Amino acid sequence: MIEIKNLEKTYDINNHSVHAVNDVSITINDGDIYGVIGYSGAGKSTLVRCINFLERPEAGTINISGFGKVIANAGRLYLERDGKPRPLLDKDLRTLRKSIGMIFQHFNLLDRSTVFDNIAYPLKYRNYTKNEIRNRVNELLKLVDLEDKRDVYPSQLSGGQKQRVAIARALADSPKVLLCDEATSALDPDATESILRLLKELNQKLGLTIVLITHEMAVIKEIANHVAVMENGRVVEDGEVYDIFASPERSITKRFVGTSNGLGKISKLIDDKAVDAVPTDRKKLIKLTFIRSSVNDALISRVSRKFDVDLSIVLANVDLVEDTPLGNIIVELSGEAERVEAALKYIEECGVRIEGVKR
Ligand SMILES: Nc1ncnc2c1ncn2[C@@H]1O[C@H](COP(=O)(O)OP(=O)(O)OP(=O)(O)O)[C@@H](O)[C@H]1O
Ligand SMILES: [Mg+2]
């Protein structure tokens, strides 16, 4: 488990300070695929780089199971084990970084070294024999499905293959945690999918905890189980992925969820006056959310018959989030005012959440 409390990191540039991480408290459980999403400059990379102390936080604590609690105080770092803090030493950092691997958007491979040598690189400075290194690298090549690329150079690989090499290298020391900073942002959709599938497989097969930075909700939806949304250095919302998709609270989270399910388009349709969103007694534009159940067409026609109202579907979207269905339908509901009210009440009684789309 990685428990971060009240973490702070500020950069001072030209008498101007940027509060990159502002009072962040999050808990990453063992075996999580923990997504961190936010727009450019939100502080995602800085937060994640504090976990392996590539960035030094000024205040707050990071408690890492099996390592100890690192306390940042006025920019100095202390390591607390058994209740006794002492300054954090370089050798502590070396130990920590063996248990936390990291991959990046642009792979950071050594261009002049073969795939084999890239993966072997972190092992060279440890007490391994040549034979042990060869065996380990072969094992890693198999794990990332690149056995046939062992002796080629990075320039001879596709983006997805390069990221596989980077993943193998990051896993060379058998870390418990893998930090991924926009690991799929430079890849085409097919390569993105195959890397995400590989990460999920490693998570399940090795019990690897993964912290995944992205600005795409689709990536979160594909593999994460928990997500934290960052804005201006703060984590403004976090929770289980399904819950965040079903009930986003903050406007930034709604926007991210909207980009992944097409419902964001409805606001544009309304803004463009393609859809009349002004509610009247007789007509309402509403969003129905079917949580943990498939979208039920029968409900729509039943309501229409039972209450003698018209329900026309403007936009519908059914997603599988964490293998559980989540349906959103935007409908225009019209009819006699009393019947419209009764229909809304009935829909809610059926366990479907109702929201007005606008105004
Ligand atoms: N080394 C640095 N020196 C000065 N300012 C920095 C440094 N690193 C980050 N910042 C600033 O801190 C803020 C957060 O940056 P960070 O890189 O963590 O954002 P991000 O969410 O990862 O963005 P992106 O999606 O573009 O990668 C930004 O305003 C950035 O300009
Ligand atoms: Mg970043």
Side-chain angles (χ1 to χ4, degrees):
M1 190 171 81
I2 300 171
E3 196 178 12
I4 299 177
K5 282 201 176 143
N6 308 111
L7 203 74
E8 301 277 351
K9 173 74 192 178
T10 307
Y11 294 108
D12 288 309
I13 344 159
N14 311 331
N15 299 329
H16 172 73
S17 77
V18 178
H19 210 157
V21 174
N22 188 350
D23 196 20
V24 166
S25 301
I26 56 170
T27 300
I28 300 159
N29 288 308
D30 291 341
D32 267 354
I33 299 187
Y34 194 107
V36 178
I37 191 162
Y39 293 115
S40 188
K44 308 179 294 294
S45 296
T46 309
L47 171 64
V48 169
R49 289 163 67 87
C50 283
I51 296 176
N52 58 1
F53 300 94
L54 286 177
E55 296 292 346
R56 296 172 83 88
E58 286 112 31
T61 60
I62 304 185
N63 197 349
I64 303 170
S65 305
F67 178 70
K69 179 158 139 186
V70 179
I71 303 166
N73 191 346
R76 287 175 192 275
L77 300 178
Y78 302 87
L79 177 61
E80 184 184 293
R81 286 176 178 156
D82 309 321
K84 282 174 268 165
R86 58 152 175 89
L88 181 83
L89 308 172
D90 283 348
K91 77 172 178 18
D92 299 321
L93 279 179
R94 281 197 295 275
T95 309
L96 177 71
R97 287 180 187 151
K98 271 171 78 170
S99 68
I100 303 182
M102 188 160 188
I103 57 171
F104 306 87
Q105 179 174 358
H106 296 295
F107 327 120
N108 297 11
L109 299 180
L110 305 165
D111 292 336
R112 291 167 189 272
S113 301
T114 62
V115 165
F116 181 95
D117 287 336
N118 265 283
I119 300 174
Y121 184 76
L123 299 172
K124 283 197 173 142
Y125 301 93
R126 314 247 188 265
N127 289 329
Y128 294 114
T129 63
K130 271 198 159 157
N131 220 356
E132 283 168 336
I133 292 183
R134 196 176 52 235
N135 289 342
R136 178 68 183 141
V137 174
N138 286 338
E139 211 174 275
L140 290 158
L141 283 167
K142 191 159 179 221
L143 194 66
V144 301
D145 198 16
L146 277 186
E147 286 158 294
D148 55 333
K149 300 291 182 192
R150 186 180 184 275
D151 299 313
V152 310
Y153 289 86
S155 60
Q156 297 165 291
L157 298 175
S158 71
Q161 289 167 339
K162 284 182 195 165
Q163 196 57 290
R164 282 171 187 269
V165 177
I167 290 171
R169 184 184 55 184
L171 297 181
D173 260 328
S174 310
K176 296 199 198 80
V177 181
L178 181 66
L179 309 176
C180 310
D181 193 345
E182 304 273 7
T184 57
S185 297
L187 304 179
D188 67 36
D190 280 352
T192 294
E193 205 191 308
S194 89
I195 292 295
L196 293 180
R197 221 181 307 125
L198 174 63
L199 290 175
K200 182 105 192 174
E201 205 179 290
L202 296 170
N203 166 258
Q204 287 169 346
K205 205 147 84 183
L206 311 176
L208 186 72
T209 303
I210 296 177
V211 183
L212 189 87
I213 297 179
T214 181
H215 54 265
E216 286 176 275
M217 211 57 181
V219 169
I220 301 281
K221 186 162 72 182
E222 189 78 21
I223 63 165
N225 64 301
H226 198 102
V227 60
V229 183
M230 283 194 83
E231 188 175 30
N232 299 327
R234 290 181 180 273
V235 168
V236 293
E237 189 164 357
D238 84 297
E240 296 302 310
V241 167
Y242 190 92
D243 297 337
I244 294 286
F245 271 86
S247 318
E249 283 181 7
R250 305 295 290 251
S251 64
I252 179 173
T253 317
K254 287 180 184 164
R255 244 181 298 151
F256 274 122
V257 171
T259 57
S260 81
N261 64 14
L263 291 182
K265 282 181 203 147
I266 193 68
S267 316
K268 187 162 186 322
L269 289 175
I270 292 167
D271 289 342
D272 294 349
K273 303 272 185 292
V275 170
D276 183 6
V278 183
T280 64
D281 279 354
R282 288 185 51 85
K283 196 178 73 186
K284 293 189 188 321
L285 195 65
I286 53 173
K287 180 172 148 199
L288 308 179
T289 305
F290 296 71
I291 295 173
R292 295 184 208 283
S293 69
S294 306
V295 175
N296 192 342
D297 275 346
L299 177 77
I300 303 280
S301 53
R302 192 162 69 235
V303 168
S304 174
R305 261 182 280 120
K306 197 171 159 90
F307 296 95
D308 190 22
V309 289
D310 283 328
L311 278 158
S312 56
I313 297 176
V314 178
L315 202 71
N317 183 81
V318 187
D319 257 334
L320 271 183
V321 181
E322 293 191 84
D323 295 327
T324 310
L326 173 65
N328 284 290
I329 310 188
I330 291 173
V331 294
E332 193 181 73
L333 171 60
S334 54
E336 292 281 333
E338 278 166 25
R339 291 181 183 166
V340 164
E341 274 314 307
L344 288 173
K345 193 156 166 274
Y346 178 78
I347 293 170
E348 249 174 352
E349 281 165 8
C350 293
V352 176
R353 199 177 62 223
I354 301 178
E355 291 162 272
V357 170
K358 216 178 176 190
R359 284 180 273 245

